[in-house]
Amino acid sequence: IATMRGISRARQDEWGVSSQNRAEKAIAEGFFAGEITPITTPDGTVVSTDDGPRAGVTLDGNIYAMPWDTHSWLWHLNVNLFKQAGLVDAKGEPILPKTVEEMLAQARTMREKTGKPYAVIATTASGDEANGARGFYSWLYDQNGTIFPNGYDKADFNTPAARTAFETWSKLVQTGAVTKGLDSGGAVSAFLNGGGAVFMTGTWRIDILLAASEKPDSPLHDGYTARVFPSLFGEQHVWTDNHTWVMPRGGATEKQRKAALVFLKFMWDHNLDWARAGHLPASQSVMNDYAKLPLRQYVMDIPSFGRAAPHEVRRQFGFQNLIGNEVAAMINTGKSVDAAIASAQDRSEQLLRGR
């Protein structure tokens, strides 16, 4: 067939590498978790993943890509404010909402009891588009929803799940539950200074917030924790993505390639050091050590239910930006759900036409 179709061995190898890379990504994100029943071998080893796909697949002896981490979207919690609002259980742990209505009720209680907004989020600076978009995606996936119901050539922001995700943001805004007009630095400062109960941001904030909570004069002192973005619609899914080191083909001298390999080896050996900031490591050999770090017990299972945009989706960052822009406009200017959906639809069509 390869001869008939004129498919060279090089093209076959390249396809094989890309297939391995996609399998790596799917396994890291837990895509196959529901299809595999873990078994325990006679020596006590639990096998729960397909070990066929290999990390850092090579082509002609050269590394093509090396997975680096898994990162996701969290609720970072000021437990002291939750206690002040009476939103903790008998053990003093924060009570997370299980429905949109419960979240809005908590937001009203938080405002009444503490005078503080429920949620802190950055929405004004370049790059902050990601924040609103990641919340949108988390609520979309939580409904097992999609904005590509009919293939990846056209998005549909009028699906019930997409509308509900936008409506959830709108309801938070209408309740006065979300901070307005903050950039990333302002949002971090607001949360560190007790300016809100929930900081909607990623896994990468865990260590800096833990460090702040250890200071006796901090509003977070002995009162900080982190949890996975809570499930409000019955399905436990959350926006998740990963970083990968890639060595481009061609253009490098042999000396440069060797130097790059030394660098990649160093980085792989220090995968756990990188993960101390909050991301989950890609190296399975260091997961036990990672699990011992503070608060990591709450994020360890993210790869089993986290979701990323399918790789078939073109212009993924373009979609992230346009969704985040619409969420930011809802938060900061009161843009309506209908207007946000119409704008997102129009902009998505322009985006895909221009690809």
Side-chain angles (χ1 to χ4, degrees):
I1 293 175
T3 301
M4 290 171 59
R5 298 293 185 184
I7 303 172
S8 68
R9 179 52 190 261
R11 286 183 62 195
Q12 294 177 58
D13 288 343
E14 290 170 5
W15 176 261
V17 168
S18 67
S19 177
Q20 289 278 340
N21 296 154
R22 288 197 296 269
E24 281 178 45
K25 186 173 187 294
I27 290 170
E29 294 170 356
F31 184 81
F32 301 117
E35 303 176 9
I36 298 175
T37 300
I39 62 171
T40 302
T41 63
D43 66 0
T45 301
V46 178
V47 180
S48 60
T49 60
D50 181 0
D51 62 1
R54 295 168 297 163
V57 174
T58 63
L59 178 60
D60 293 333
N62 296 315
I63 289 179
Y64 182 83
M66 185 180 79
W68 185 233
D69 66 28
T70 296
H71 51 276
S72 190
W73 211 229
L74 305 180
W75 275 21
H76 299 265
L77 307 170
N78 183 328
V79 182
N80 296 326
L81 286 179
F82 269 78
K83 289 179 178 179
Q84 191 177 336
L87 299 173
V88 293
D89 61 20
K91 296 181 180 180
E93 294 292 324
I95 299 172
L96 296 185
K98 297 180 181 179
T99 65
V100 175
E101 291 70 25
E102 286 184 10
M103 179 175 65
L104 298 176
Q106 285 196 353
R108 288 189 285 268
T109 298
M110 185 64 64
R111 179 69 76 174
E112 292 168 2
K113 299 290 187 179
T114 71
K116 302 295 177 64
Y118 190 66
V120 176
I121 187 169
T123 55
T124 63
S126 176
D128 288 344
E129 300 89 353
N131 300 324
R134 289 163 181 171
F136 172 90
Y137 278 132
S138 294
W139 286 323
L140 180 77
Y141 299 149
D142 200 23
Q143 303 168 74
N144 207 23
T146 180
I147 55 173
F148 296 98
N150 300 307
Y152 300 109
D153 290 330
K154 183 178 180 179
D156 185 355
F157 284 93
N158 286 290
T159 64
R163 175 171 286 274
T164 296
F166 275 127
E167 287 176 344
T168 302
W169 275 120
S170 181
K171 289 175 181 177
L172 277 173
V173 173
Q174 293 170 7
T175 307
V178 188
T179 56
K180 298 182 179 182
L182 296 180
D183 61 10
S184 181
V188 171
S189 179
F191 187 69
L192 287 175
N193 288 287
V198 177
F199 188 11
M200 294 182 179
T201 187
T203 49
W204 51 92
R205 301 284 191 191
I206 290 177
D207 259 22
I208 63 168
L209 297 177
L210 272 171
S213 71
E214 295 172 358
K215 299 177 181 179
D217 59 345
S218 170
L220 296 177
H221 183 61
D222 289 337
Y224 164 68
T225 191
R227 298 290 190 276
V228 174
F229 214 81
S231 172
L232 302 180
F233 301 99
E235 295 278 347
Q236 179 62 77
H237 295 298
V238 63
W239 171 88
T240 302
D241 211 332
N242 57 42
H243 293 112
T244 299
W245 291 98
V246 176
M247 183 181 292
R249 291 175 297 167
T253 65
E254 185 61 24
K255 182 178 180 180
Q256 290 171 328
R257 291 182 66 81
K258 288 182 178 180
L261 288 171
V262 171
F263 171 77
L264 289 175
K265 175 65 165 58
F266 174 84
M267 297 301 285
W268 184 253
D269 290 343
H270 290 271
N271 194 215
L272 178 62
D273 295 326
W274 166 257
R276 291 181 188 280
H279 293 347
L280 281 80
S283 174
Q284 295 300 301
S285 65
V286 301
M287 286 300 286
N288 288 338
D289 290 329
Y290 177 82
K292 297 173 184 177
L293 298 174
L295 302 182
R296 295 331 191 266
Q297 70 270 31
Y298 299 118
V299 303
M300 289 290 293
D301 292 334
I302 285 175
S304 69
F305 54 76
R307 284 191 181 180
H311 71 272
E312 293 90 349
V313 177
R314 303 300 180 93
R315 307 297 298 275
Q316 292 197 17
F317 275 88
F319 274 97
Q320 175 176 277
N321 288 344
L322 75 86
I323 292 169
N325 287 155
E326 298 306 323
V327 172
M330 295 171 72
I331 292 172
N332 295 318
T333 70
K335 191 171 188 176
S336 71
V337 171
D338 286 340
I341 289 175
S343 179
Q345 188 65 44
D346 180 63
R347 293 177 62 190
S348 71
E349 292 172 8
Q350 293 182 47
L351 182 69
L352 291 178
R353 280 200 302 268
R355 71 182 185 185

